[in-house]
Amino acid sequence: MERLRGKRAIVTGAGSGIGRAIVLRLAEEGARVVISDVDEEAATNVASEAGGETLIRKTDVADSSEVEALVGTAVEEWGGLDIMVNNAGIGVAGTTTNTSEEDYERVMDVCLRGTFFGMKHAIPAIRDSGGGSVINLSSVAALVGIADRAVYSAAKGAILAITRAAAIDHVEEGVRVNCIAPGTVDTPWIGRITAGYDDPEEARRNMQARQPHGRFVAPEEIAAMAAYLASDESASVIGACMVVDGGVTAR
Ligand SMILES: NC(=O)c1ccc[n+]([C@@H]2O[C@H](COP(=O)([O-])OP(=O)(O)OC[C@H]3O[C@@H](n4cnc5c(N)ncnc54)[C@H](O)[C@@H]3O)[C@@H](O)[C@H]2O)c1
């Protein structure tokens, strides 16, 4: 499928996991992609895997001026922007009582401020390019209570709320804003969680057994949803939260 031929895209946090898979899928479908990550080496590795035309930009999404420059890259190099994927995010384990203020700031900075800056700078560029699609990464943590993820859940819930608000604000400008709520996706992130257990392999098996469909969601399954939301096939999907979770929230 080449639904995105001629489209110009940016993916943040694109050096790993879900972001990497989204880059590969958008490029496979014909888009030109700016691969951005705070980890430049990781972004460079993804660029070497992706076919088609790509650019690499080191960007910390928590810094408004860096995100503005990132959007400027697509506009200067390719004459505009059609797709913005606000994917960069970090998590922290903890409840409301035992999470430190520093961890609160860190998670909110990357997840929420990063998504806000991504929309703030990309939406005018997409509007001026004739319209397009913004895709934010929320989480099932925005939809159901998940133990030991209080601040992360708050950030992802806020991303869902700002997605809906922005969708209404910008629909008449031809900018569609949606989010994806993944369940537990098999990325390096999961490796960092299971590494904290005595038997990481057993922890991995237990996490998979808790999924109604008995396995982790694959990053490629999130990328398939992102490609759909980026394409004109989803023209009437506006302000939606697309759940890709193997049935977790159906329980
Ligand atoms: N893996 C899951 O189970 C899961 C579930 C729901 C939602 N998500 C969301 O999907 C997104 C991607 O998660 P993942 O599992 O691929 O994570 P990951 O840790 O594999 O990749 C995250 C990437 O973001 C980059 N990054 C971190 N801080 C950044 C910053 N300040 N600026 C720019 N880039 C930064 C990292 O360098 C890394 O390359 C996140 O927003 C996460 O909350 C993941």
Side-chain angles (χ1 to χ4, degrees):
M1 259 189 297
E2 287 235 332
R3 294 176 294 187
L4 305 178
R5 170 91 15 232
K7 304 277 190 199
R8 300 149 295 189
I10 292 173
V11 182
T12 67
S16 173
I18 293 170
R20 168 185 168 274
I22 292 174
V23 168
L24 300 183
R25 180 66 186 258
L26 297 187
E28 191 187 309
E29 294 223 25
R32 287 173 277 178
V33 189
V34 186
I35 303 170
S36 87
D37 200 290
V38 74
D39 179 343
E40 193 170 16
E41 192 183 335
T44 305
N45 291 339
V46 173
S48 66
E49 289 182 86
E53 203 180 328
T54 57
L55 293 168
I56 301 156
R57 284 295 174 275
K58 183 176 191 292
T59 311
D60 178 352
V61 296
D63 184 320
S64 183
S65 61
E66 288 194 23
V67 180
E68 188 174 16
L70 171 65
V71 171
T73 296
V75 174
E76 283 151 28
E77 299 287 333
W78 294 334
L81 180 67
D82 307 290
I83 300 159
M84 180 71 180
V85 185
N86 293 306
N87 166 75
I90 57 169
V92 63
T95 66
T96 47
T97 52
N98 68 18
T99 300
S100 68
E101 290 179 27
E102 290 73 23
D103 280 347
Y104 174 92
E105 298 291 348
R106 220 162 46 86
V107 170
M108 287 296 178
D109 274 359
V110 180
C111 292
L112 186 52
R113 281 163 64 93
T115 301
F116 167 62
F117 293 147
M119 290 199 288
K120 183 175 180 58
H121 298 301
I123 287 174
I126 296 174
R127 180 198 59 213
D128 294 347
S129 305
S133 174
V134 174
I135 301 158
N136 297 327
L137 266 292
S138 180
S139 166
V140 293
L143 305 173
V144 293
I146 295 183
D148 218 28
R149 295 287 182 277
V151 171
Y152 177 73
S153 302
K156 293 296 175 178
I159 289 172
L160 170 56
I162 202 170
T163 295
R164 289 180 174 145
I168 298 304
D169 284 338
H170 301 289
V171 63
E172 288 175 8
E173 299 168 38
V175 183
R176 291 187 300 111
V177 185
N178 292 288
C179 67
I180 304 175
T184 308
V185 186
D186 196 6
T187 69
W189 177 305
I190 301 300
R192 290 194 292 276
I193 293 172
T194 55
Y197 288 79
D198 291 340
D199 184 344
E201 268 311 308
E202 188 190 10
R204 209 180 136 79
R205 280 194 299 277
N206 290 343
M207 282 176 84
Q208 299 206 57
R210 283 203 296 271
Q211 307 298 309
H213 71 341
R215 62 171 177 83
F216 291 127
V217 176
E220 292 73 20
E221 293 174 291
I222 307 301
M225 179 58 78
Y228 167 70
L229 290 174
S231 79
D232 295 339
E233 283 191 285
S234 58
S236 293
V237 182
I238 292 161
C241 177
M242 310 299 273
V243 178
V244 186
D245 69 350
V248 168
T249 53
R251 279 186 167 137

